Amino acid sequence: MKITTNNRIILASESPRRKELFGRLGIPFEIQASGVSEDVEQELSPEEFTLAIATKKSDEVVQGNEDAIVIAADTTVYLGEKLLTKPVDSNQAKEFLQALSGQEHRVITGVSIQGAGISIGFTETTAVQFYELTEEQIDAYVASGDSLDKAGAYGIQTMGGMFVEKINGDYNNVVGLPLGRLFQTLLTLKVIQLEKEISE
């Protein structure tokens, strides 16, 4: 399946995981990360908060790039109503993983698409159930350093995936980008098109 676009596409993220996922579409795109803080003043629901951060990112990058389509995303992890951010240190990473042990949590990604007359956003939620974790497992994983740059202190696409008993929803959403939903949205907006490949 070949996908084409007539637009300049900017992915407003430095995340190697989002870059890899978006690259699966096979269309040219640029990386231009935003420098906005991931803080929002007002009280918002988890979904509203996550989308607000993504929108802040796209708002900044679209300035001066109004002719391009800017795609920004933010992924959050919620245990109940508690936000689990990227841990500040190993101790906090251990606290997060201890809290997640044996529990179901939500991974929410907000996606904002702006530019060329388009301004739209959506959120995707995946429920993730963890196995009961031992202190030995938590200590070994945290010692690897993998948990420190990831919301909720784990990466499902790395060894952190060994802690996951089951998920309900989009796996790619947990990695950092709900690629299927984004693909369908970009098709609907006519940002991308499917090109029929003629076999000889």
Side-chain angles (χ1 to χ4, degrees):
M1 183 168 65
K2 187 175 182 182
I3 302 168
T4 61
T5 180
N6 297 321
N7 299 92
R8 187 163 64 97
I9 307 290
I10 298 174
L11 182 63
S13 175
E14 286 183 317
S15 164
R17 297 171 290 279
R18 289 198 184 105
K19 180 181 178 182
E20 179 186 353
L21 285 170
F22 193 78
R24 293 181 191 172
L25 294 179
I27 58 175
F29 67 98
E30 308 165 32
I31 296 289
Q32 191 172 324
S34 73
V36 299
S37 68
E38 298 189 1
D39 296 319
V40 177
E41 297 297 327
Q42 65 268 38
E43 290 290 323
L44 298 172
S45 71
E47 291 78 11
E48 290 170 335
F49 174 84
T50 308
L51 183 56
I53 299 299
T55 303
K56 279 181 71 174
K57 293 177 180 179
S58 63
D59 279 346
E60 182 186 81
V61 175
V62 81
Q63 301 302 318
N65 292 300
E66 288 84 357
D67 63 318
I69 302 294
V70 176
I71 300 168
D74 187 71
T75 301
T76 54
V77 173
Y78 278 87
L79 181 61
E81 295 304 307
K82 183 180 180 182
L83 173 64
L84 301 186
T85 58
K86 293 177 183 177
V88 296
D89 56 27
S90 295
N91 287 332
Q92 189 173 52
K94 289 179 184 180
E95 289 175 13
F96 286 176
L97 292 169
Q98 287 166 347
L100 292 172
S101 174
Q103 301 296 316
E104 181 180 270
H105 61 277
R106 290 173 294 157
V107 179
I108 304 169
T109 299
V111 177
S112 176
I113 306 168
Q114 293 198 62
I118 294 170
S119 182
I120 192 171
F122 64 85
T123 61
E124 186 73 21
T125 300
T126 302
V128 181
Q129 174 71 44
F130 261 32
Y131 287 104
E132 291 280 353
L133 306 180
T134 66
E135 288 299 312
E136 182 182 27
Q137 290 170 352
I138 292 172
D139 288 345
Y141 181 61
V142 171
S144 76
D146 188 60
S147 62
L148 292 179
D149 68 335
K150 297 173 178 66
Y154 78 96
I156 195 170
Q157 73 284 359
T158 58
M159 286 301 291
M162 302 303 105
F163 300 157
V164 175
E165 181 177 2
K166 61 184 177 181
I167 71 169
N168 183 10
D170 182 0
Y171 169 86
N172 289 328
N173 187 55
V174 185
V175 179
L177 192 66
L179 192 59
R181 177 95 177 265
L182 178 59
F183 169 74
Q184 296 295 336
T185 302
L186 294 177
L187 275 177
T188 301
L189 294 171
K190 301 189 186 313
V191 172
I192 60 175
Q193 303 85 34
L194 299 181
E195 188 173 287
K196 197 170 183 180
E197 296 184 85
I198 302 172
S199 57
E200 295 182 2

